[in-house]
Amino acid sequence: MPILLPLFILLLVLLSPTVAKAQVNIPNTFAPGDVIYSSQANANFSSLGTNSLNRTGGTLTGNIAASAGVTVDGVDLSVGIPHTVLAKTSNYTVTTSDGAHCIVLGTGTFTVTLYAASGNTGRTVTVKNVSTGVLTVDANASETIDSSLTQIIAARYQSLTLLCDGSNWHLV
């Protein structure tokens, strides 16, 4: 009987679940401006898709720049992308290549036309009248801005910020 107790304890120790811990380092080196793909990072990241990383451990530090739709831990990094500022004096059509968050500073009287809302959820465009002219903001084709095809900015220094929902534009 005295030998059974130590064997029983040994059996419990061997069969008990254990937690393994390990330090995992990034095997690659990256320079500022490099594109880092989820497959390049390390075991602290698991790929959620072609444009996302899920940080399950470790820390992301430094300046992180990403185009619209790139996420880390489910957070869209384009929110942190600086605004593109454009100074315009004549009719202009904003394009998606102007950035996820674009500001148009208008001098004079002309129309700023928005790009198609489809596929552009979360993007913003701000249009500001910086002179005494009248700016017309025109939604793409039959899309609307708060249920209207156009919005007018008649007063100097007045601005409108528009948020895309993927179907239309909304004033915020």
Side-chain angles (χ1 to χ4, degrees):
M1 187 75 154
I3 196 157
L4 290 177
L5 184 59
L7 286 175
F8 179 72
I9 292 172
L10 180 61
L11 185 61
L12 282 176
V13 169
L14 292 174
L15 295 177
S16 297
T18 59
V19 176
K21 292 184 179 182
Q23 176 67 39
V24 181
N25 295 316
I26 295 177
N28 300 306
T29 56
F30 303 103
D34 283 354
V35 175
I36 302 171
Y37 297 97
S38 57
S39 60
Q40 291 177 288
N42 62 22
N44 288 337
F45 298 91
S46 60
S47 177
L48 294 176
T50 57
N51 291 330
S52 63
L53 293 174
N54 183 28
R55 185 179 54 78
T56 57
T59 305
L60 290 175
T61 59
N63 296 324
I64 299 171
S67 60
V70 175
T71 62
V72 172
D73 292 344
V75 176
D76 187 346
L77 292 182
S78 65
V79 173
I81 292 177
H83 289 74
T84 302
V85 179
L86 305 169
K88 298 298 176 184
T89 58
S90 61
N91 290 343
Y92 182 71
T93 299
V94 182
T95 67
T96 56
S97 63
D98 288 332
H101 308 291
C102 177
I103 299 173
V104 178
L105 303 176
T107 302
T109 298
F110 61 94
T111 299
V112 175
T113 304
L114 303 173
Y115 48 81
S118 178
N120 291 302
T121 300
R123 287 176 170 256
T124 62
V125 174
T126 299
V127 180
K128 181 170 183 165
N129 186 344
V130 294
S131 76
T132 57
V134 176
L135 300 178
T136 301
V137 181
D138 188 5
N140 182 276
S142 64
E143 295 171 355
T144 61
I145 304 167
D146 277 0
S147 300
S148 297
L149 293 173
T150 62
Q151 295 287 326
I152 302 297
I153 307 173
R156 186 175 194 182
Y157 303 124
Q158 180 184 9
S159 65
L160 299 175
T161 297
L162 305 115
L163 173 66
C164 181
D165 71 0
S167 298
N168 290 291
W169 294 86
H170 301 277
L171 295 172
V172 292

